[in-house]
Amino acid sequence: MKEDLDFYLQYNGSVKVSEMTKMDLKNLIQTGESSFLEFKHQVASPEKIAREIAAFANTKGGTILIGVSDNGEMVGVEGYFEEEFLLNQAASEECIPAVAISIEMLHVGDRDILIVKVPESDSKPVYVKGKKTRLVYIRQDDESIVASDEWIELLKNNDSDEGVTFEYGEREQKLFRFLNEYGSITVDRFALLISVTTYRAAKILVNLVSAGVLDLFDKEGVAHYTFSQKSS
């Protein structure tokens, strides 16, 4: 019994009263779910909410509102203790490495809204435990999706202390001419363009993303590369 109590206390007691007002929360909700905001009616399980936490940690960070329905209605939770427990368990045990989330509470009528702030991780990628294998999630628009191999490689590159450089050779010239004409390219198309394996093509493209030359985005589950908006 004492072991159960110690386990429970380990993941409780971290909630702080939010400085946000009810109007502040309404204004935030009105912006809608996005790359930095997620609504959850409740915490279904540590395994499921860990996907959202890891996705934000692997991207630019974000906020999860617990007690807000998909349509933006503030339904609240009856008691925040169980939600807090599951959130901290997800961030500490289901995410590898652990994610240092913070949880705030805002009273709305006789219920509570939990404001979960997820920082961008300093150690990427953040994995989520699975039954058979660990998965990496990223945030894209208003969804948390499984990261492609290219995204995982990019997260590793960006987390490296080594500077990223690239050589503007014949392959890069062909790539840039293609992008100027068609706007974006896939790994398979680039491999055909420069007559290399898809593995080698992916390495070149990911390196260019890490160097800030290209942007990577997913379209219908396929990674596409285009000129970086920062460099344009």
Side-chain angles (χ1 to χ4, degrees):
M1 189 71 179
K2 182 180 182 300
E3 291 180 356
D4 292 340
L5 178 60
D6 290 342
F7 183 74
Y8 180 80
L9 292 175
Q10 179 183 358
Y11 294 118
N12 279 81
S14 61
V15 174
K16 298 179 180 179
V17 176
S18 177
E19 295 182 358
M20 291 179 66
T21 65
K22 186 175 179 180
M23 183 56 67
D24 291 334
L25 181 60
K26 282 185 175 180
N27 291 335
L28 177 59
I29 292 172
Q30 285 179 355
T31 66
E33 290 184 302
S34 64
S35 59
F36 62 86
L37 185 62
E38 173 73 19
F39 302 156
K40 288 293 180 186
H41 189 285
Q42 63 183 13
V43 179
S45 69
E47 295 80 11
K48 289 184 178 180
I49 199 66
R51 300 170 189 172
E52 312 291 348
I53 293 172
F56 282 127
N58 280 326
T59 316
K60 297 294 182 181
T63 300
I64 307 172
L65 299 179
I66 309 297
V68 177
S69 63
D70 289 340
N71 63 6
E73 181 184 357
M74 292 188 289
V75 294
V77 294
E78 291 186 5
Y80 67 82
F81 298 105
E82 183 178 357
E83 310 292 331
E84 174 196 6
F85 174 79
L86 295 175
L87 285 163
N88 282 321
Q89 186 180 6
S92 300
E93 294 192 354
E94 297 299 324
C95 294
I96 306 171
V99 180
I101 63 172
S102 63
I103 309 173
E104 298 178 0
M105 174 186 62
L106 180 64
H107 292 294
V108 179
D110 60 349
R111 296 202 170 198
D112 304 315
I113 302 290
L114 293 184
I115 304 160
V116 185
K117 297 182 178 179
V118 183
E120 181 178 357
S121 178
D122 292 329
S123 301
K124 298 178 184 178
V126 173
Y127 295 87
V128 176
K129 288 181 180 178
K131 292 182 179 180
K132 294 183 178 180
T133 185
R134 299 186 301 179
L135 294 174
V136 175
Y137 290 84
I138 57 171
R139 193 70 179 177
Q140 182 171 293
D141 298 326
D142 60 351
E143 293 184 303
S144 297
I145 63 173
V146 176
S148 63
D149 291 341
E150 291 93 336
W151 267 111
I152 295 173
E153 193 66 28
L154 178 60
L155 291 172
K156 291 177 179 178
N157 278 5
N158 289 345
D159 194 51
S160 173
D161 292 332
E162 298 180 6
V164 178
T165 59
F166 75 96
E167 178 183 352
Y168 184 61
E170 183 179 349
R171 292 171 175 175
E172 288 75 16
Q173 291 174 32
K174 289 182 178 179
L175 170 64
F176 291 174
R177 285 197 295 267
F178 186 94
L179 291 177
N180 278 323
E181 185 170 355
Y182 297 102
S184 67
I185 195 169
T186 64
V187 170
D188 288 346
R189 185 66 186 84
F190 183 47
L192 289 173
L193 183 68
I194 62 174
S195 301
V196 298
T197 63
T198 54
Y199 174 81
R200 180 57 185 156
K203 293 286 285 186
I204 295 172
L205 291 169
V206 167
N207 190 61
L208 289 171
V209 174
S210 298
V213 178
L214 300 182
D215 282 337
L216 167 61
F217 66 95
D218 282 340
K219 182 178 180 182
E220 299 178 352
V222 179
H224 285 68
Y225 298 81
T226 187
F227 281 124
S228 172
Q229 297 299 312
K230 296 177 182 179
S231 61
S232 61

